[in-house]
């Protein structure tokens, strides 16, 4: 019985030890405590930009902006100084988030989705860099 236990359980224990030593210490990417605030800023910016570009409804533009705001938050969550943001990065990440959100929600007007996301990223950057 002792040999049987060694042959059956030792390889699985060894595999479990290697797996946990390799993958458990890796810290997953996570948003910070300002996620909902950034999503709200993005939603407001997306709604206003959607009215200006006359693209779809205010609700879907707000969803697009909120997704862009969440993407900008995730891109900046690892920074030590949260006020030290890069405007070009926030605009680019917001534009990408808005484009992807527009594709997922089946909206037409890829350029308008990109503009909504970029505006959300710019609004978050401006508001976050000015907060003391």
């Amino acid at each position: 019985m002792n040999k049987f236990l060694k042959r059956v359980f030792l390889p699985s224990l060894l595999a479990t030890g290697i797996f946990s030593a390799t993958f458990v210490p890796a810290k997953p990417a996570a948003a910070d405590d300002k996620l909902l605030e950034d999503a709200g800023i993005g939603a407001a910016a997306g709604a206003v930009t959607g009215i200006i570009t006359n693209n779809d409804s205010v609700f879907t533009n707000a969803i697009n902006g909120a997704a862009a705001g969440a993407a900008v938050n995730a891109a900046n969550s690892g920074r030590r100084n949260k006020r030290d943001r890069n405007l070009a990065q926030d605009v680019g990440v917001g534009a990408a988030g808005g484009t992807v959100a527009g594709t997922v929600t089946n909206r037409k007007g890829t350029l308008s989705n990109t503009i909504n996301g970029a505006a959300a990223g710019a609004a978050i950057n401006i508001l976050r860099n000015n907060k003391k």
Side-chain angles (χ1 to χ4, degrees):
M1 184 70 176
N2 196 9
K3 275 187 171 181
F4 176 74
L5 290 176
K6 286 182 183 177
R7 288 184 184 169
V8 171
F9 291 116
L10 259 112
S12 63
L13 288 175
L14 182 61
T16 304
I18 291 172
F19 177 77
S20 63
T22 305
F23 294 112
V24 171
K27 183 180 176 187
D32 63 6
D33 58 341
K34 301 286 186 185
L35 174 66
L36 293 177
E37 195 173 319
D38 286 348
I41 294 168
V48 170
T49 309
I51 292 170
I52 293 170
T53 60
N54 198 22
N55 180 33
D56 219 355
S57 70
V58 173
F59 180 70
T60 54
N61 287 317
I63 291 172
N64 188 343
V72 170
N73 180 281
N76 287 299
S77 65
R79 291 188 186 275
R80 288 184 187 161
N81 184 359
K82 300 292 183 184
R83 289 181 294 172
D84 185 27
R85 293 175 174 248
N86 184 345
L87 177 63
Q89 177 189 358
D90 285 351
V91 169
V93 170
T99 303
V100 170
T103 302
V104 169
T105 58
N106 249 350
R107 295 176 58 212
K108 295 182 168 94
T110 304
L111 182 62
S112 295
N113 296 331
T114 305
I115 291 170
N116 286 356
I124 291 169
N125 181 283
I126 291 167
L127 291 173
R128 290 282 176 226
N129 277 340
N130 289 333
K131 284 192 176 182
K132 305 280 183 208

